Amino acid sequence: MEAALATEPNGALLGSSYYRSPFQFGLWVWNAFSKDSTAFGKWMCSSFGKEPVLMSWVNPALRASVGKAVLGAHGYFNGKVKYEEYTLSNPKKAKIGYTVDLGHLYTIDTLSYEGFPYEGDSLIKSTMSQSVIHKGDAFDVNNLEAERTRISTLFRDNGFFYYQPNYSSYIADTITEPGKVLMKFKFADNLNEKLKHKWYIGKLNIQLRRNIMDSLINCVHRRHFNVWYSTKSQPIRMRVIMRNQKLSSGQLYSYDAYQQSYNNISTQGIFSQVDFSFAPHDSTPQCDSLDLTLNCVFDKPYQFYVETNAKGKTTGRMGPELVLGFTKLNAFRGGEKLDVNMHGSYEWQTNHPSGSNGNLNSYEYGGDISVEMPRLLLPFLCHHRFYTVPSTVIKATSNVINRADYFKRHIVSGELTYNF
């Protein structure tokens, strides 16, 4: 009700609709310069002025009707909202007072689910413990929408591919039981038959393109799927895609499995576009199979980057650093990322560590090679569920460091990093 009725007056303190600042600087500037046509007057008005809040803009009658609708949405069907205007000693100023009569709070007495197909009705009954609406709860439109969304998610996760939340509606009876609401959640009549039964995954077609306009010229037929690609040879090993694909031929359609598949494949970093499309296998009324077409467009195979850094240390040493590198995506047709970079830095210090004068210069140069694989090299974690594609990074580093001829050393190291 506060959001529906409250309006900030001029000089409101912290957004309050009641408390105001005694110093109305914005209003004073507006009154002084709003009619000034000079450039300075327009600048003052736009930068520091604030236009007065008029009663016609507030429109209390409209706000009262909105407040009454808010009461009805939260179970106060007999609620009333009235307003009254109070003119102050200054005839140019006024206040608005709202009177809210809540009335009786209506509560849910019963909620029945009617008209749903047999399989859908069985799903609803088996998950009644998860229902958002319970007997005795206050009537609330937000809870009704939450239950509608729950049913829609439940159906789409269990094969009802075409089901949408607006295919069901509520009917409320507030007369039979005074002060209570008898609710019915009904499945819409005269809907297409394809909306009333479960769907299974039929044929799986995977299309691989270098760019969106490529023509698919080659095809490889496998037992459970077909692979189409636009190059002479298959650009990626199919296990890279299939181990992240949660929808397989003959499986019951699940919206949750579809989301997991989309997230796993799109976050691999080798595709610029991933698209899932579903279509009935044929047009017969008895058809319950959806053919899945997975269209993947590869990202640019090479990425180049340049990094520059400036270092400063408390010992007085400072100097620049430069890193040049490139990344090869899908380097070995397994979704790997091969990163190669060369880096070099130079540092100088005007004061010798021992306290004597003299310049101390040093340089460092080397290179890094790393391979990131879109899988874990840990067998005991193979059944763990990840929300993004896990990866393993194998890194080799080679550096040569010179410290003003004081010492020289050569470092070659290998590093294995697991990214979760």
Side-chain angles (χ1 to χ4, degrees):
M1 294 301 296
E2 180 75 14
L5 302 178
T7 303
E8 293 184 18
N10 289 103
L13 288 177
L14 303 176
S16 172
S17 61
Y18 185 80
Y19 297 102
R20 304 173 60 206
S21 170
F23 306 103
Q24 306 293 323
F25 295 107
L27 185 59
W28 296 342
V29 172
W30 177 271
N31 291 333
F33 295 97
S34 61
K35 296 181 180 180
D36 192 342
S37 59
T38 63
F40 176 77
K42 293 180 179 179
W43 175 76
M44 286 290 295
C45 191
S46 61
S47 300
F48 304 102
K50 185 173 183 181
E51 195 171 357
V53 179
L54 303 180
M55 188 70 70
S56 59
W57 297 356
V58 176
N59 198 348
L62 176 61
R63 291 181 177 272
S65 63
V66 173
K68 184 177 180 180
V70 171
L71 291 178
H74 290 80
Y76 297 96
F77 297 147
N78 300 324
K80 298 178 182 179
V81 181
K82 299 179 181 180
Y83 71 93
E84 187 174 355
E85 299 178 4
Y86 300 94
T87 303
L88 304 182
S89 57
N90 185 345
K92 294 184 179 181
K93 297 181 179 181
K95 291 184 178 182
I96 304 175
Y98 293 97
T99 302
V100 180
D101 181 8
L102 297 178
H104 178 73
L105 174 60
Y106 282 72
T107 57
I108 302 296
D109 185 67
T110 58
L111 174 61
S112 60
Y113 301 83
E114 300 181 358
F116 288 90
Y118 174 77
E119 294 176 323
D121 187 66
S122 299
L123 286 173
I124 295 175
K125 291 180 179 178
S126 64
T127 59
M128 284 302 296
S129 60
Q130 304 173 13
S131 176
V132 181
I133 303 175
H134 307 89
K135 183 176 181 178
D137 290 349
F139 179 92
D140 194 316
V141 172
N142 294 329
N143 290 341
L144 299 182
E145 289 301 317
E147 178 66 8
R148 187 201 300 267
T149 302
R150 185 188 74 85
I151 296 298
S152 176
T153 303
L154 176 66
F155 278 27
R156 287 178 61 81
D157 283 343
N158 288 273
F160 290 88
F161 174 78
Y162 290 100
Y163 185 85
Q164 297 295 329
N166 58 356
Y167 291 161
S168 302
S169 59
Y170 288 99
I171 298 177
D173 178 8
T174 60
I175 299 177
T176 303
E177 292 289 339
K180 297 183 180 298
V181 185
L182 281 68
M183 299 290 303
K184 292 183 180 180
F185 190 48
K186 296 193 64 176
F187 190 71
D189 298 330
N190 302 322
L191 293 178
N192 195 304
E193 287 297 324
K194 68 180 182 181
L195 306 176
K196 300 180 181 180
H197 64 81
K198 296 183 177 182
W199 291 82
Y200 296 82
I201 303 299
K203 293 182 178 179
L204 176 59
N205 297 308
I206 302 175
Q207 300 177 357
L208 304 174
R209 290 180 170 90
R210 291 294 180 182
N211 59 73
I212 193 67
M213 301 302 295
D214 276 355
S215 298
L216 302 174
I217 57 177
N218 292 317
C219 179
V220 175
H221 298 280
R222 301 292 177 88
R223 180 179 179 182
H224 299 293
F225 59 90
N226 300 323
V227 184
W228 299 81
Y229 48 93
S230 57
T231 55
K232 294 183 179 179
S233 59
Q234 189 170 307
I236 191 172
R237 291 191 290 271
M238 290 314 302
R239 67 171 179 268
V240 178
I241 296 179
M242 296 307 298
R243 66 168 166 251
N244 295 310
Q245 167 65 275
K246 305 302 181 182
L247 294 172
S248 56
S249 181
Q251 177 185 341
L252 184 68
Y253 170 81
S254 170
Y255 183 71
D256 181 63
Y258 155 69
Q259 286 187 313
Q260 290 186 44
S261 302
Y262 178 83
N263 292 335
N264 290 343
I265 296 176
S266 60
T267 55
Q268 285 182 314
I270 59 177
F271 299 114
S272 62
Q273 179 178 332
V274 177
D275 177 67
F276 286 75
S277 61
F278 300 87
H281 183 69
D282 54 57
S283 57
T284 60
Q286 296 78 19
C287 176
D288 63 351
S289 296
L290 293 169
D291 290 342
L292 169 58
T293 300
L294 172 57
N295 183 24
C296 299
V297 179
F298 285 93
D299 202 352
K300 299 297 182 181
Y302 295 98
Q303 297 177 351
F304 177 78
Y305 60 91
V306 179
E307 298 179 8
T308 58
N309 301 308
K311 295 183 178 180
K313 300 179 180 179
T314 57
T315 58
R317 302 184 63 85
M318 62 183 63
E321 181 183 20
L322 177 66
V323 180
L324 302 175
F326 76 94
T327 303
K328 175 69 168 65
L329 302 182
N330 194 31
F332 309 109
R333 297 192 311 112
E336 301 88 355
K337 294 181 182 180
L338 175 64
D339 183 88
V340 179
N341 70 69
M342 302 292 294
H343 58 84
S345 63
Y346 181 78
E347 296 179 354
W348 64 86
Q349 183 178 11
T350 56
N351 294 327
H352 196 275
S354 61
S356 60
N357 294 329
N359 294 332
L360 179 62
N361 302 324
S362 64
Y363 61 85
E364 177 183 354
Y365 61 88
D368 296 332
I369 300 177
S370 64
V371 179
E372 180 179 344
M373 294 172 286
R375 56 189 177 275
L376 285 179
L377 299 181
L378 297 175
F380 53 85
L381 288 178
C382 61
H383 298 295
H384 188 81
R385 177 174 176 177
F386 297 94
Y387 293 95
T388 58
V389 178
S391 60
T392 301
V393 179
I394 300 178
K395 184 177 181 181
T397 303
S398 177
N399 289 334
V400 175
I401 303 175
N402 179 282
R403 296 298 186 197
D405 295 329
Y406 283 110
F407 61 87
K408 291 183 180 180
R409 63 178 180 176
H410 182 71
I411 302 176
V412 178
S413 62
E415 179 181 359
L416 181 65
T417 306
Y418 297 100
N419 297 328
F420 299 94

